[in-house]
Amino acid sequence: MDDAPLASFSLTHVHYDPADRISYLCAWLALVPQGLCVVYATLIWSNREIEIGLMFAGQMACEALNWCLKRYIKEERPREMHGKGYGMPSSHAQFVSFFSVTLAFFLLFRHVPHPTETHTPLTFIQRFALSVIALASAAAVACSRIYLNYHTPRQVLVGCAAGVIFAVVWFGFTTYLRRAGWVEWALKTYLARMFRVRDLVVQEDLVDSGWARWEERRRRNAAFRVQSKKNK
């Protein structure tokens, strides 16, 4: 018997022109959504921040919306990529648009970090610059879908619009959850306490998380070693 034909796992299967350096770069840009999912999972597991969990929940809801829109509109991809699923709207463009706009909203309107003895947080201007970089990166990913012929310009523009609109709606929804006390209530539930879910990133930089405790432990250890030498 002949061996059964093998299937291609298309999660990271990207078509590009190997003779074109821009095409090669665009192929890497196509992997940004998968990379962001890894970042989400890593941050949620390591920091247990409810804000990151809410953002990831919105990201997945945005993906579900894209899945529904594609199967409702049923518009084919450009001729070069026919047979590889529907193209309207672009899921890559919608994914990165939601991520970048939500990140910008968080940095500019919700994140109010306080300085500590060991850390000076990013200023508003620095957070604004970071937001611009995030938006520019999202634009690069969206444009790469056109360059690789996976989507038409219209499909990418609609994907960007859907991602931006959903980001605005989701940010407003999570703002309501905070102001109405639902986030505070959720943090008091048994599951949240069992998984040690916290809400520190709104007022504390992630890079400063635990740093003060680490510095205090180092000072105590150093003082203990000095005292031990004196006792000898």
Side-chain angles (χ1 to χ4, degrees), residues 75-78 88 146 150-157:
E75 182 174 299
E76 295 290 342
R77 294 180 184 271
M88 173 66 86
I146 300 173
Y150 273 90
H151 294 282
T152 64
R154 190 166 69 101
Q155 291 171 350
V156 167
L157 288 175

Side-chain angles (χ1 to χ4, degrees), residues 6-187:
L6 299 179
S8 173
F9 186 58
S10 61
L11 182 64
T12 59
H13 189 68
V14 184
H15 291 272
Y16 73 98
D17 181 1
D20 185 348
R21 292 184 178 181
I22 297 179
S23 180
Y24 179 71
L25 174 61
C26 289
W28 280 102
L29 289 173
L31 303 180
V32 167
Q34 290 91 329
L36 288 176
C37 286
V38 174
V39 172
Y40 271 126
T42 302
L43 289 176
I44 291 172
W45 177 255
S46 61
N47 291 287
R48 315 296 174 95
E49 284 286 340
I50 194 168
E51 182 67 25
I52 300 174
L54 287 171
M55 187 174 175
F56 182 63
Q59 190 80 72
M60 293 298 98
C62 188
E63 281 295 284
L65 173 63
N66 180 269
W67 188 89
C68 294
L69 288 175
K70 281 189 173 182
R71 281 148 187 81
Y72 176 77
I73 299 173
K74 296 182 178 179
E75 182 174 299
E76 295 290 342
R77 294 180 184 271
R79 180 177 54 82
E80 295 84 354
M81 296 297 171
H82 274 186
K84 296 186 180 299
Y86 298 121
M88 173 66 86
S90 166
S91 58
H92 277 69
Q94 188 169 329
F95 188 106
V96 294
S97 294
F98 174 88
F99 175 83
S100 60
V101 172
T102 303
L103 178 63
F105 282 173
F106 169 75
L107 291 174
L108 299 178
F109 303 117
R110 187 173 291 170
H111 185 47
V112 188
H114 298 310
T116 64
E117 295 180 359
T118 59
H119 179 68
T120 301
L122 296 176
T123 65
F124 180 83
I125 297 299
Q126 291 172 322
R127 282 181 274 134
F128 179 81
L130 187 59
S131 300
V132 172
I133 292 173
L135 293 170
S137 300
V141 174
C143 290
S144 73
R145 306 305 289 169
I146 300 173
Y147 195 88
L148 292 174
N149 293 314
Y150 273 90
H151 294 282
T152 64
R154 190 166 69 101
Q155 291 171 350
V156 167
L157 288 175
V158 173
C160 288
V164 170
I165 292 172
F166 195 84
V168 172
V169 172
W170 188 258
F171 191 80
F173 174 63
T174 56
T175 299
Y176 163 76
L177 291 180
R178 285 187 172 278
R179 292 180 178 177
W182 287 105
V183 170
E184 184 178 355
W185 171 84
L187 290 169

